[in-house]
Amino acid sequence: MTQTLQQFLLNELRDHPEKYALVMMMADIATIGKLISARTNRAGLTDLRGLAGTTNVQDEAQAKLDVYSNDLCKNYLGSTELFAAMASEEEDEVVDLKNPGANYVIAFDPLDGSSNIDVNAGIGTIFSVHKKLDKVPAGDERQFLQPGRDQVLAGYILYGSSTMLVFSWGDGVHAFTLDVDLGEFLLSDAHVKIPDASPYYSFNEAYAPYITEKDQKALKIIRERTDKLRWIGSLVGDFHRNMIKGGVLVFPAVDTSGKKNYKPKLRLNYEAKPMAMLAEQAGGAAVSTDGTAIMDIIPRELHERVALIIGNKKIIKEAS
Ligand code: AHG
Ligand code: MN
Ligand code: MN
């Protein structure tokens, strides 16, 4: 018999009453997923395609759906009294949610894969939750300079051919699919495992001439150990496919200017850290291109970027 997210969460609460806050926040995140999913499905009908005409702190053009999703995360989660602060790819600074009783902080990529919105390809929302540091003010950036290893909850919502909620609070990876008729997330896989067989590698091949020699060598090994290239151009979609089907996803530092000023693209707090937790919990690995486990990196700044290789553990070990 199919289990709803609600049943799953209530069972968890029965067995682990100490997880009350985490259970409540998963219910809230699921609601956010349903709201963004509904908007995403109507993006072509409701003038939600295209750019908002603004840029974020990283000087990236914001899509209308980026802005909608960010405002929703901020306003909805601000009202739940579970979170003391929020950090987002779309916010310059940490947002103090003015909930003095709250014991957690949350980091978001509200809408990942923005370039795919207008073409009806997979996009997502990524989240990462830490305990609030007691000795640091709620709105202080240091709340978000905690290593991935200290995450208590991480996951994503994938708005693809169906909407899926995938998360971990440290006992494996749980995947749910939204039944739009019922308006409920239904359990698809209680313990997702990355398969040993690894058919896919995923990399933006247009960047191949613009990465370091060391990364070229790692990439060569990854290409040799896999059969096919698959690339959507949204981390959530590409990670999800490779987690389900087996594969390795590569985001090295890139320099297209010829000045050898290589820079990574993905953000540690909003993208790499939460995905690394899911990868490890599903039996895979996530490292930076120097071989350091993403989960062990202590962020030095809020919007820090990091190179990422994520997926099949054996291949990543051979390539690092
Ligand atoms: P975002 O839309 O949140 O800015 O993230 C986009 C990221 C990632 O999801 C995607 O895989 C990558 O950017 C694609 O970058 P390129 O098009 O430069 O390969
Ligand atoms: Mn992103
Ligand atoms: Mn984004």
Side-chain angles (χ1 to χ4, degrees), residues 1-311:
M1 186 63 195
T2 312
Q3 199 178 19
T4 65
L5 176 67
Q6 193 181 25
Q7 287 170 318
F8 181 92
L9 294 177
L10 288 172
N11 286 346
E12 193 72 21
L13 191 58
R14 181 196 58 212
D15 298 343
H16 301 280
E18 73 283 0
K19 276 171 102 172
Y20 174 78
L22 294 181
V23 166
M24 293 300 284
M25 61 184 78
M26 268 321 303
D28 289 328
I29 290 168
T31 303
I32 285 181
K34 287 183 206 173
L35 289 166
I36 300 179
S37 177
R39 276 296 166 114
T40 306
N41 289 339
R42 297 187 60 78
L45 305 173
T46 55
D47 197 29
L48 260 175
R49 285 182 298 180
L51 298 176
T54 48
T55 53
N56 66 14
V57 63
Q58 293 147 98
D59 218 22
E60 296 163 333
Q62 291 178 304
K64 287 181 192 168
L65 213 51
D66 280 327
V67 175
Y68 168 82
S69 306
N70 186 57
D71 288 348
L72 180 70
C73 291
K74 190 163 57 179
N75 297 332
Y76 191 92
L77 291 179
S79 69
T80 65
E81 300 187 5
L82 291 165
F83 297 104
M86 178 190 114
S88 161
E89 190 181 280
E90 307 301 339
E91 296 282 340
D92 297 7
E93 288 164 8
V94 171
V95 180
D96 184 341
L97 294 172
K98 312 277 184 222
N99 288 324
N103 294 316
Y104 297 89
V105 298
I106 184 161
F108 267 109
D109 180 348
L111 211 285
D112 172 68
S114 314
S115 70
N116 281 321
I117 297 169
D118 292 1
V119 297
N120 210 0
I123 50 180
T125 299
I126 312 173
F127 53 92
S128 156
V129 178
H130 282 276
K131 283 209 172 115
K132 188 188 110 189
L133 300 174
D134 284 337
K135 295 191 178 123
V136 174
D140 193 298
E141 179 169 314
R142 282 172 291 175
Q143 294 290 356
F144 294 91
L145 305 185
Q146 304 190 49
R149 207 56 80 195
D150 292 345
Q151 288 170 110
V152 292
L153 171 68
Y156 57 81
I157 304 143
L158 166 63
Y159 315 106
S161 46
S162 61
T163 293
M164 289 194 75
L165 171 62
V166 176
F167 71 94
S168 177
W169 40 34
D171 65 347
V173 174
H174 317 301
F176 294 80
T177 306
L178 182 63
D179 182 321
V180 277
D181 294 330
L182 297 180
E184 294 246 37
F185 280 103
L186 305 180
L187 184 63
S188 306
D189 193 340
H191 289 283
V192 183
K193 285 284 164 210
I194 298 177
D196 290 337
S198 202
Y200 299 138
Y201 86 98
S202 307
F203 169 62
N204 184 342
E205 282 288 350
Y207 294 145
Y210 307 113
I211 63 176
T212 65
E213 266 177 45
K214 184 176 171 290
D215 289 348
Q216 304 253 16
K217 282 185 191 146
L219 189 59
K220 187 164 176 282
I221 294 170
I222 292 166
R223 287 193 194 107
E224 284 165 3
R225 303 282 189 279
T226 51
D227 307 322
K228 293 178 179 185
L229 165 65
R230 286 285 185 277
W231 179 255
I232 296 169
S234 94
L235 172 66
V236 173
D238 285 306
F239 174 82
H240 185 78
R241 180 200 53 248
N242 290 7
M243 180 175 74
I244 303 294
K245 298 281 189 187
V248 182
L249 177 54
V250 193
F251 283 97
V254 171
D255 174 40
T256 51
S257 73
K259 293 183 184 145
K260 303 211 163 177
N261 183 18
Y262 299 98
K263 290 206 172 120
K265 175 166 191 187
L266 294 188
R267 282 129 298 207
L268 180 54
N269 270 330
Y270 320 113
E271 296 172 318
K273 257 170 48 176
M275 291 312 200
M277 178 164 177
L278 296 172
E280 288 196 5
Q281 288 288 325
V287 300
S288 194
T289 38
D290 66 359
T292 317
I294 296 288
M295 293 282 274
D296 292 330
I297 299 175
I298 299 171
R300 284 160 299 184
E301 56 184 37
L302 187 63
H303 296 294
E304 182 168 333
R305 294 174 188 252
V306 71
L308 173 69
I309 306 180
I310 189 163

